[in-house]
Amino acid sequence: PELYVTQVFIRVPPHIDAARARGQARESLFKQRRAAGLPPFALDPKLDEIATRYAADLAAGVERIGAGAVANRALADVAISYAAVLTVISVVGDPADVAATAIGDARMMAYGLGVAQGHDNELGGGALYVVLLLGRAR
């Protein structure tokens, strides 16, 4: 007979300051942008406000569909400023793990970033919900 043993290593994310986590996520995104040879994004306060609310709703346990509907209604007010707004949602244990394939898209010019900590079935209570909204130039 054969016996297969699997060992799973996980790290429970610690509770961290939301402002610090947001700064780490932003720095990670900016490093990725620099590595792609592109200029940094401009912060759009409206996109930032929407992303912050979206992340907070997800971290509080609001269903993704409901939280997304609220964000979509709010995005309708800023849609005129951009050709498109891309939404990237990540649930990570470390803010530096945030990645977005759209970082390398030179047409993406502005961003809003929301980070909130809440419970996730896989990561536990220290999960970081990161919402990145990227505005594409007209």
Side-chain angles (χ1 to χ4, degrees), residues 48-60 62-72 75 87 89 114 116 129 131 133:
D48 206 53
E49 181 182 325
I50 295 165
T52 298
R53 165 98 189 263
Y54 200 169
D57 285 350
L58 292 172
V62 175
E63 291 290 327
R64 194 172 286 223
I65 292 172
V70 170
N72 284 338
L75 282 170
T87 303
I89 300 170
Y129 289 81
V131 175
L133 298 176

Side-chain angles (χ1 to χ4, degrees), residues 22 41-50 78 81-82 109-113 133 135:
R22 186 177 191 280
F41 298 115
L43 176 66
D44 181 319
K46 291 179 183 177
L47 289 178
D48 206 53
E49 181 182 325
I50 295 165
V78 296
S81 302
Y82 303 104
M109 57 182 262
Y111 82 102
L113 178 66
L133 298 176

Side-chain angles (χ1 to χ4, degrees), residues 11-16 59 92-93 116-129:
R11 179 179 66 91
V12 176
H15 289 281
I16 61 174
V92 297
Q117 197 162 33
H119 179 78
D120 177 72
N121 290 337
E122 293 180 22
L123 294 175
L128 291 170
Y129 289 81

Side-chain angles (χ1 to χ4, degrees), residues 29-30 32-42 103 105-106 108-109:
L29 292 168
F30 279 23
Q32 293 172 53
R33 185 82 170 171
R34 277 192 303 271
L38 297 170
F41 298 115
I103 291 295
D105 186 340
M108 297 300 181
M109 57 182 262

